[in-house]
Amino acid sequence: MGNLGERLSHTITPHHMHKNIKWALTASLAGLALAGTGMVPLQAADVSPVELSTPSAEAQIQQRADALLARMTLIEKIGQLTQIGATPIAPDRQPEDLIRKGMAGSVLWTIDTAQINRLQKIAVEESRLGIPLLFGFDVVHGFKNVFPMPIGMAASWEPDLVEQACSIAADEAYASGVNWTFAPMVDIARDARWGRMVEGAGEDPFLGAAMARAQVHGYQGPALGTPGRILSSTKHFAAYGAAEGGRDYDSCYVPEVLLYNVYLRPFQACIDAGVGNVMTAYMSLNDIPATGNPWLVKDLLREQMGFHGFVISDSYSVLSMTNHGYSADEKDAARRGIEAGVNMDMGSQDYLRNLEALVAVGKVSMGSIDELVREVLIVKLRMGLFEHPYGNTDMKDEVLGKPAHRAATLLAAQKSMVLLRNEGGLLPLSPNVSSIALIGPLADSAEDIKGPWTCEWDQAVSVREGLARALPNTTIRYVQGGDMQRAYPMPWEAREGKSAPALMDEAQMEVELAKAVDAANASELVVIVLGERKDMCGEAASSSTIALGGNQQALLEAVVATGKPVVLVLLNGRPLDITWASENVSAILEAWFPGSEGGNAIADVLTGAVNPGGKLPVTWPRSVGQCPIYYNHNATQSPQTDQYFTSLYANDTTAPLYPFGYGLSYTTFSYSNLKLDRDVIGVDGVVNVSIDVCNSGQRVGDEVVQLYIHQRYGSQIRPVRELKGFERITLSPGETRTVSFKIGPDELRYWNAKSRTWLVEPSTFDVWVGGDSTATTHSLFRVE
């Protein structure tokens, strides 16, 4: 079959035009070559990684790894395959003792710089071989300075912005002693019930690949070992986002054609970008746990896709293969993890307890152990960890306090906002508005606005604070209005005997609702902030419903019934059921979880200081009954009146509430003069596409120009539309710009399940360019 990287391609390559970023798909083996040959720092931090990206440097790393491996005892080798927690899991498993004896290669669950340095010093100065530790943490959307959640960053459709955010997060983590992030999560998510949609880039493999590559470059820099950057781990391999019923951790059943054409593409982009680590998934894929699947980890990831780093399990997922009913016991689980090619056991210490005995009886070979240890050592050497084990901790306060970092979170939040509705031009708000009723359980929350997966504590700006700053002469009447909470505690909290957060009782909710109605009646207009608390999405936070939780729907309807103009601001990590709001509320702003400066960013958009330009990275369902829903579905046997099914429901339309790629602006844009430079190409040919985009409104604004294609016929059904190019541009009123794209083999090829290879087929191809996935400006060409 050859190397999958040659065909899975769709590596995202930046083209700089008009000071904007255009992302086009190219079949690039360059990134794969970088991942395999190094760009490795061996000397001081001032040595450029580019200077060291030579065959001789990589050979030197291999020699150092082999020499070190030859000196290691079996228990020291097993230690390099073991990641321990910073707190003991048993009285006889104190982390200090394990590290001192060479029985741990990595530590997780701590961002305490003093503790990190103390444990690293034990490893470097008190263990026999002095092998430095990796310190891993979920640095998902910032460290001290918190950026929007990844779903919000994807809504910016601006990979350069994402790369900058991740580089800042890496800078702050490195200065704190954390040298490894368990990010990016690149799982394609098509079901809004799945809580971890918030951690990824949404439903589309093209957009997901662009965001994945940007994150890896942001965290690791141009090469693994770049000063001030950290090791990146792409997760969860593979197809974790396809969980049945949107239930986190549940089984996934994914056919080959979807696995290759949809779920693997963002992983391939990470590999091409040189990612140093891949994390397996918790769940079983087609009835085999991902952590114990040799085909998945060895054949697919390493051989076909060309990955050249090391693989870590997700937390306890080696040991949990016994819970799956896959392994007979924990010894069998350790054996299966090694046989699958999983280099490092996260958290459970299953390898540490059992591998020595398994080697002794011949159930695990020393050769298998050596191969997995060598891959861990090579990554540590490529990182320059032996030369610089402590990071940049002397500069921690200075780095974390950089004003530019905080300013970057504001810009990112502003660019992530998606305007969903603006009837009658209610937005932007007039600077002369006399009074606002600010209502909602999230309106004054400086914690929930940051979202899940935060690291260092940082004081965020709430919506209430942001509006007060932006409208100093406006009377703001704040009322909480009610409450919502998750019904069950997080699993790790439940194990500690903790309960779910207490929900406000119904009597108090009625009092709050009455206060909200009074505030609305007393004010010129209403801004109501609804959505999810930060623990209502993310890991272990899937939901059987996407309805507004608690009394939020009743609160919204009561406020709208006052007759006052209402602006709905959403803080959430996945689409929610706002179908009623879409018909009854004048303006709706999707703000996601916007991070540290979220309140200021929301206020800037509401008041017009910033013109929203974000676009949805997901298809927005009308109700939970439509889930899963995605734009790039197949056609059926029935003729279609548009890109969506006429309807496969007898009671409702199949069309979403808002399509993928959708987002409004305070200005308007028009598309014209779509040109293709040729009508017919061969299977290796390229069509150049151009279109004129004009700002036909009265304000400066951003538009995300999107290109979609469709193969009309072939040996396999292809989706009704597929995103194959995009560019976010800024236009002044009356300005017109020509935006160009290329469509070639990389955009046209797909994995064909019948031939089990990548194909570009003779066919007629539709081309659409516009502002979302329902674009109507159309042309076509043929491949012969």
Side-chain angles (χ1 to χ4, degrees):
M1 291 174 61
N3 192 300
L4 184 64
E6 297 177 17
R7 295 175 305 277
L8 193 53
S9 61
H10 283 41
T11 301
I12 310 303
T13 304
H15 299 271
H16 299 273
M17 298 179 61
H18 312 297
K19 299 183 180 180
N20 291 279
I21 308 302
K22 181 174 68 176
W23 294 85
L25 294 172
T26 63
S28 172
L29 293 179
L32 183 58
L34 292 179
T37 61
M39 283 197 169
V40 280
L42 296 176
Q43 308 298 328
D46 58 351
V47 177
S48 167
V50 176
E51 297 171 19
L52 295 168
S53 61
T54 63
S56 61
E58 182 62 18
Q60 184 181 359
I61 282 180
Q62 300 285 345
Q63 292 168 5
R64 290 178 67 184
D66 289 339
L68 188 55
L69 188 64
R71 297 175 58 199
M72 298 173 73
T73 65
L74 175 57
I75 196 63
E76 287 171 333
K77 293 174 182 179
I78 296 170
Q80 289 304 301
L81 306 182
T82 299
Q83 183 177 65
I84 64 172
T87 55
I89 64 171
D92 62 342
R93 296 276 170 171
Q94 297 295 324
E96 292 85 355
D97 294 337
L98 295 176
I99 294 167
R100 193 173 286 112
K101 295 174 183 177
M103 298 169 69
S106 178
V107 177
L108 78 163
W109 299 324
T110 181
I111 57 172
D112 183 326
T113 301
Q115 182 184 40
I116 289 171
N117 283 342
R118 179 174 59 81
L119 295 177
Q120 189 71 287
K121 185 175 182 181
I122 293 172
V124 172
E125 298 183 12
E126 299 181 36
S127 71
R128 189 177 73 90
L129 296 177
I131 301 174
L133 298 165
L134 287 164
F135 289 89
F137 202 79
D138 294 273
V139 185
V140 173
H141 60 122
F143 195 77
K144 180 178 184 292
N145 291 283
V146 182
F147 288 85
M149 287 297 300
I151 190 72
M153 295 298 290
S156 74
W157 291 61
E158 192 163 339
D160 263 8
L161 183 75
V162 173
E163 182 175 336
Q164 180 194 33
C166 293
S167 71
I168 289 172
D171 190 20
E172 295 184 1
Y174 186 74
S176 302
V178 175
N179 51 29
W180 181 9
T181 176
F182 304 132
M185 191 203 87
V186 300
D187 301 302
I188 295 297
R190 293 171 156 187
D191 193 330
R193 295 172 295 181
W194 190 51
R196 301 196 80 166
M197 179 181 277
V198 69
E199 297 176 52
E203 71 186 53
D204 184 73
F206 187 99
L207 179 63
M211 296 302 163
R213 183 177 189 272
Q215 289 178 84
V216 171
H217 281 167
Y219 288 125
Q220 291 190 174
L224 190 60
T226 298
R229 305 295 177 91
I230 60 180
L231 175 65
S232 174
S233 175
T234 185
K235 61 185 185 184
H236 305 83
F237 198 75
Y240 180 49
E244 284 192 316
R247 297 180 297 270
D248 204 8
Y249 312 139
D250 214 340
S251 301
C252 298
Y253 294 93
V254 180
E256 178 183 290
V257 67
L258 285 181
L259 184 66
Y260 280 77
N261 286 317
V262 177
Y263 290 99
L264 292 182
R265 290 192 186 277
F267 286 99
Q268 187 68 59
C270 290
I271 293 168
D272 292 346
V275 72
N277 177 248
V278 170
M279 183 187 296
T280 63
Y282 282 120
M283 87 294 164
S284 64
L285 175 62
N286 301 330
D287 290 335
I288 301 177
T291 303
N293 190 334
W295 176 83
L296 194 67
V297 177
K298 288 183 175 180
D299 298 347
L300 180 60
L301 178 64
R302 292 192 178 279
E303 296 301 321
Q304 294 185 45
M305 298 179 72
F307 174 62
H308 297 289
F310 75 91
V311 176
I312 187 169
S313 75
D314 207 335
S315 180
Y316 282 71
S317 69
V318 171
L319 183 61
S320 69
M321 284 192 282
T322 58
N323 298 331
H324 278 286
Y326 186 65
S327 300
D329 52 32
E330 68 170 54
K331 282 189 177 180
D332 190 40
R335 177 186 65 83
R336 287 178 182 268
I338 294 297
E339 289 182 350
V342 176
N343 302 77
M344 192 175 289
D345 167 25
M346 181 190 287
S348 75
Q349 299 184 28
D350 193 11
Y351 283 0
L352 192 59
R353 287 190 302 272
N354 295 296
L355 285 182
E356 193 171 20
L358 288 167
V359 171
V361 298
K363 290 189 175 180
V364 171
S365 72
M366 185 65 77
S368 297
I369 298 288
D370 286 349
E371 180 181 357
L372 296 178
V373 173
R374 182 184 291 109
E375 288 164 345
V376 173
L377 294 176
I378 286 172
V379 169
K380 288 186 175 184
L381 287 162
R382 285 175 177 163
M383 292 173 67
L385 201 57
F386 287 80
E387 291 73 28
H388 303 285
Y390 297 103
N392 193 24
T393 57
D394 290 343
M395 302 291 289
K396 177 180 178 179
D397 291 343
E398 178 182 337
V399 172
L400 271 61
K402 288 181 179 178
H405 287 190
R406 184 76 178 208
T409 69
L410 175 62
L411 177 64
Q414 292 168 340
K415 291 202 169 190
S416 72
M417 306 281 168
V418 181
L419 184 62
L420 298 177
R421 181 173 167 87
N422 193 24
E423 293 301 301
L426 178 58
L427 295 177
L429 301 176
S430 167
N432 300 318
V433 59
S434 60
S435 59
I436 293 175
L438 178 61
I439 297 168
L442 299 174
D444 195 32
S445 176
E447 274 303 301
D448 289 304
I449 202 167
K450 291 187 291 187
W453 294 115
T454 53
C455 302
E456 282 268 353
W457 184 86
D458 181 50
Q459 181 62 48
V461 179
S462 69
V463 178
R464 184 182 185 182
E465 293 169 317
L467 278 178
R469 173 201 58 81
L471 297 168
N473 300 318
T474 300
T475 299
I476 297 177
R477 300 181 176 94
Y478 163 70
V479 178
Q480 181 175 338
D483 193 16
M484 73 290 190
Q485 300 287 352
R486 57 183 293 148
Y488 295 93
M490 294 288 192
W492 44 91
E493 293 176 340
R495 293 188 193 106
E496 297 172 356
K498 297 179 181 179
S499 301
L503 182 68
M504 182 185 293
D505 63 52
E506 290 188 14
Q508 185 59 37
M509 284 192 189
E510 290 179 5
V511 171
E512 284 292 321
L513 191 149
K515 290 181 180 178
V517 170
D518 289 343
N521 282 321
S523 302
E524 185 176 342
L525 60 86
V526 177
V527 173
I528 187 167
V529 186
L530 305 177
E532 302 175 295
R533 296 202 182 277
K534 67 178 184 177
D535 65 352
M536 293 173 71
C537 66
E539 185 174 349
S542 295
S543 179
S544 64
T545 178
I546 59 172
L548 293 168
N551 73 330
Q552 291 184 101
Q553 184 65 38
L555 176 65
L556 177 63
E557 293 183 18
V559 168
V560 170
T562 65
K564 295 300 178 76
V566 176
V567 177
L568 170 60
V569 176
L570 294 171
L571 298 181
N572 51 300
R574 28 80 184 282
L576 299 175
D577 186 344
I578 56 167
T579 300
W580 185 90
S582 72
E583 299 169 352
N584 295 278
V585 175
S586 297
I588 305 175
L589 179 68
E590 172 56 80
W592 313 105
F593 289 112
S596 296
E597 286 288 322
N600 284 332
I602 290 169
D604 288 342
V605 171
L606 294 182
T607 60
V610 169
N611 190 350
K615 300 279 189 170
L616 291 177
V618 291
T619 301
W620 199 290
R622 294 175 179 273
S623 67
V624 71
Q626 287 189 319
C627 297
I629 187 171
Y630 43 94
Y631 83 95
N632 48 353
H633 55 73
N634 288 345
T636 69
Q637 82 283 3
S638 301
Q640 298 181 70
T641 57
D642 56 28
Q643 75 175 91
Y644 296 102
F645 305 115
T646 304
S647 185
L648 292 186
Y649 297 126
N651 65 321
D652 201 357
T653 175
T654 314
L657 186 63
Y658 300 112
F660 174 84
Y662 173 84
L664 301 175
S665 171
Y666 296 151
T667 189
T668 54
F669 299 95
S670 61
Y671 289 77
S672 63
N673 200 26
L674 174 61
K675 293 181 180 179
L676 279 61
D677 70 342
R678 60 204 67 191
D679 298 325
V680 180
I681 60 171
V683 293
D684 295 322
V686 173
V687 175
N688 293 291
V689 181
S690 66
I691 192 163
D692 292 341
V693 184
C694 176
N695 182 342
S696 52
Q698 303 301 313
R699 290 174 175 266
V700 174
D702 285 9
E703 173 70 328
V704 179
V705 185
Q706 303 163 43
L707 178 143
Y708 296 85
I709 68 168
H710 170 236
Q711 180 177 325
R712 289 191 175 183
Y713 54 86
S715 60
Q716 188 170 298
I717 300 171
R718 301 299 299 135
V720 293
R721 293 195 184 195
E722 294 181 282
L723 179 71
K724 294 299 179 180
F726 64 86
E727 182 180 358
R728 181 165 176 160
I729 61 174
T730 302
L731 296 176
S732 298
E735 181 182 0
T736 296
R737 184 174 304 165
T738 301
V739 178
S740 301
F741 301 97
K742 290 184 178 180
I743 303 174
D746 306 318
E747 290 73 33
L748 300 176
R749 66 165 56 98
Y750 73 96
W751 178 263
N752 185 281
K754 181 179 179 181
S755 64
R756 302 204 71 247
T757 189
W758 294 90
L759 295 179
V760 177
E761 292 187 308
S763 186
T764 298
F765 288 83
D766 295 290
V767 178
W768 296 272
V769 182
D772 61 46
S773 58
T774 66
T776 57
T777 304
H778 173 263
S779 187
L780 53 82
F781 66 95
R782 296 195 316 278
V783 174
E784 295 183 346

